[in-house]
Amino acid sequence: TATTEIYTLSLHDALPIWGRSRRPPKDEFNSMISLGYSLLMNEVYCKIEMKGLNPYFGFIHRDAEKHPTLTSDLMEEWRAVIVDATVMSMINGHEISKDQFYFDMDEPGCYITRDGLKIYLNKLERKFQTEIRYLKYTDYAVSFRRAILLQMERLTKAIEEGDADLYEPVIIR
């Protein structure tokens, strides 16, 4: 039946004609992207606070009341390689199905079910634990979670020493 059909989306099919939708997301793809970005934002926010920085004082994003602009700035380095890649992997790998989402008429939008959430969170957590070599200043692999912390340490050092060159954004090969 249509409700148990496994996704067989191409990249083009995964991006609906109306593009990115949020608050609320209008389709399954945007539902996973929005949730992932929220989780990544919390991860980055925690690392910023651990280093004693102000998450509400950023460099790139426009200041908005009650919005942690530094968090938004710093998560840009990670969103495609962590969240977008995880969502596309799940779709292309047929790891999540349409029946793990529902549409709410009272609060219009597409939402992930409890079962879908469990699958998604497990996959995203494995991604955070994946070891990578994206940081030029380490000669060893670190998890994405550790890499985010190391980037916060570099930013803190750059601010403390007044030398912007000490911070290098992550470049994904």
Side-chain angles (χ1 to χ4, degrees), residues 80-100:
V81 71
I82 296 175
V83 177
D84 298 357
T86 299
V87 170
M88 290 309 300
S89 172
M90 290 183 75
I91 291 170
N92 291 332
H94 310 286
E95 297 176 59
I96 196 154
S97 61
K98 284 190 180 247
D99 66 342
Q100 289 160 329

Side-chain angles (χ1 to χ4, degrees), residues 106-163:
D106 294 330
E107 296 181 33
C110 181
Y111 304 94
I112 194 164
T113 65
R114 192 170 282 196
D115 289 339
L117 181 62
K118 182 178 178 183
I119 293 167
Y120 183 63
L121 292 177
N122 284 332
K123 179 78 172 195
L124 193 59
E125 179 56 31
R126 284 193 308 273
K127 185 68 165 190
F128 275 115
Q129 293 177 12
T130 300
E131 293 199 345
I132 48 98
R133 293 182 176 268
Y134 292 146
L135 303 178
K136 291 181 185 178
Y137 52 86
T138 63
D139 58 354
Y140 51 91
V142 296
S143 70
F144 278 109
R145 188 167 276 127
R146 177 87 173 123
I148 294 169
L149 180 61
L150 291 173
Q151 282 294 89
M152 293 311 123
E153 289 174 355
R154 295 291 282 219
L155 179 61
T156 302
K157 186 174 184 178
I159 291 169
E160 288 172 351
E161 295 186 18
D163 183 358

Side-chain angles (χ1 to χ4, degrees), residues 47-67:
K47 302 291 191 275
I48 290 170
E49 288 219 323
M50 284 173 63
K51 299 316 295 168
L53 300 175
N54 183 345
Y56 293 90
F57 186 73
F59 307 107
I60 301 168
H61 287 84
R62 169 175 57 91
D63 284 338
E65 187 175 337
K66 296 182 182 180
H67 179 75

